[in-house]
Amino acid sequence: MKKKPFFLLLLSAGCLFTACSNEDKMEGPEEKSIPVVVNVTEEPMQAISRAAVTTTGSLEKFYMDFYSDDCWNHYTYRKSGSGWSSTLSWLAAPDSYPITFYAYHDSDTEGSSRLNGSSNPYLSVSVEENASTQHDVIVAMSKTFTYGERGSTVNLSFNHICSAVQFNICKTSGMSDYDITVKEVKLCNVIKTGDYYYKSGTWDLSSSTTTDYTLYSTDGFELTTASKELIAGDDYMFMIPQTLTPWDKISTLGNTYIRLRCKITKNGTYKIGSANEWGDTYLAVGDTWQQGKKHTVTLHVGTALRNASGTQITKL
């Protein structure tokens, strides 16, 4: 199975870049420039070993920003032999210090990703709804350097800030008399945006938005009691860490639920869909996704299924 890297789009406020441009050089007294040398390590994502996860072995470049003289300065570091290279040099002016470096990797192509907030830096993250274009996101923050520490090696220990989620599906033993053919599985009402704060290492979801994610979509497969991995283009979806509050199954669809597009028959009689059409039924789902960890969600399709038409909620 071909595995692709995932992508997470990072959004910036766009208001902090009027004074400095990408790869800017800050002028100071004339002296020999001192390149900023970095040492890169990574905290592995727990319980994960697949190629979709970004590691220092697969990382080819990353971005490193710092705030000085009232603006953000943005640089790209690329793998060079056993180390990393960039055009960044230590600033020569003493009043440009102290300096703290903030690094991240969000994709293989550089967009408009930048840090926000000068005193409390954060990344505004938005998860792509198409799993095949998602990416793992890793970040690192250096110690704070004074003018007298120019020339020191900048140690960067990258951490994974998203949750890697794998989805499986199976039919419960209580549905042995039912034949279920699944065409599409959609995860609904999941948080897709959030702000990650470097200093605290935590997420702020107070201004978050939600969306629906397609976990599986094809011509259809027969659901059995054996667990089947749902692959939305890749092995994992990299999601905003969050707690999923399940739909209560008695009110109008809300909170988090699964929409199952399928055909369900019992003794030849259609319960969902028809010979010529697919139908929808719903399953409540809840879980807690922690940053930097892998989670497996298994959807048990059984008597908990509900039909929903506006406020009319009925059992299968």
Side-chain angles (χ1 to χ4, degrees):
M1 178 171 61
K2 181 179 180 181
K3 297 183 177 69
K4 305 175 184 176
F6 293 158
F7 173 74
L8 286 176
L9 176 63
L10 279 66
L11 305 177
S12 72
C15 61
L16 299 173
F17 306 102
T18 58
C20 300
S21 62
N22 184 38
E23 305 292 347
D24 274 348
K25 290 284 187 159
M26 306 282 295
E27 295 184 357
E30 291 187 7
E31 64 172 47
K32 183 178 180 180
S33 63
I34 306 173
V36 177
V37 177
V38 299
N39 176 52
V40 173
T41 59
E42 171 231 354
E43 288 293 326
M45 181 170 277
Q46 295 184 30
I48 259 186
S49 60
R50 301 196 183 184
V53 176
T54 299
T55 66
T56 52
S58 62
L59 187 64
E60 293 296 326
K61 66 179 177 181
F62 63 88
Y63 311 113
M64 192 166 80
D65 297 4
F66 66 94
Y67 192 82
S68 179
D69 296 336
D70 299 323
C71 69
W72 280 103
N73 300 265
H74 179 72
Y75 288 83
T76 301
Y77 273 80
R78 292 179 171 83
K79 185 168 289 185
S80 177
S82 59
W84 300 87
S85 64
S86 174
T87 60
L88 175 60
S89 295
W90 289 94
L91 303 186
D95 58 2
S96 297
Y97 292 79
I99 290 175
T100 305
F101 296 101
Y102 302 89
Y104 60 93
H105 175 268
D106 63 307
S107 71
D108 292 331
T109 56
E110 183 175 8
S112 59
S113 303
R114 296 293 190 276
L115 284 166
N116 302 293
S118 58
S119 61
N120 194 14
Y122 64 93
L123 290 172
S124 294
V125 180
S126 180
V127 179
E128 284 287 311
E129 295 173 28
N130 184 355
S132 64
T133 56
Q134 290 182 350
H135 264 278
D136 188 7
V137 177
I138 57 176
V139 303
M141 181 178 72
S142 77
K143 60 164 285 186
T144 299
F145 293 89
T146 64
Y147 177 74
E149 293 175 303
R150 287 184 311 152
S152 301
T153 297
V154 177
N155 292 312
L156 299 173
S157 179
F158 280 93
N159 290 287
H160 301 264
I161 64 172
C162 293
S163 304
V165 189
Q166 186 180 55
F167 294 89
N168 300 321
I169 190 170
C170 67
K171 182 173 69 174
T172 64
S173 58
M175 298 289 285
S176 59
D177 293 337
Y178 292 80
D179 294 315
I180 305 175
T181 304
V182 176
K183 177 179 176 61
E184 184 178 80
V185 183
K186 183 163 284 192
L187 178 65
C188 302
N189 279 352
V190 178
I191 291 175
K192 67 168 290 185
T193 60
D195 296 330
Y196 176 82
Y197 282 82
Y198 273 80
K199 292 183 178 180
S200 64
T202 58
W203 287 85
D204 178 9
L205 304 181
S206 60
S207 300
S208 61
T209 58
T210 61
T211 193
D212 301 339
Y213 290 94
T214 300
L215 307 180
Y216 185 92
S217 184
T218 187
D219 292 334
F221 68 90
E222 194 71 22
L223 193 62
T224 69
T225 54
S227 183
K228 175 182 175 61
E229 185 181 68
L230 292 174
I231 302 174
D234 297 281
D235 283 333
Y236 301 101
M237 296 184 71
F238 288 94
M239 308 296 287
I240 300 290
Q242 60 190 279
T243 295
L244 307 180
T245 302
W247 170 49
D248 63 12
K249 298 187 293 185
I250 59 175
S251 307
T252 302
L253 286 168
N255 290 332
T256 307
Y257 59 92
I258 291 291
R259 191 196 76 184
L260 201 64
R261 182 150 290 174
C262 59
K263 294 180 181 181
I264 300 180
T265 61
K266 182 178 182 181
N267 299 325
T269 301
Y270 279 91
K271 300 295 184 179
I272 299 292
S274 65
N276 300 318
E277 293 184 350
W278 299 93
D280 292 337
T281 187
Y282 302 89
L283 180 68
V285 61
D287 200 9
T288 297
W289 298 338
Q290 300 179 56
Q291 69 185 50
K293 292 187 177 181
K294 182 247 184 175
H295 299 268
T296 299
V297 178
T298 299
L299 308 173
H300 298 278
V301 178
T303 56
L305 286 175
R306 294 291 185 270
N307 299 326
S309 178
T311 59
Q312 299 298 312
I313 312 299
T314 58
K315 294 183 180 181
L316 184 66

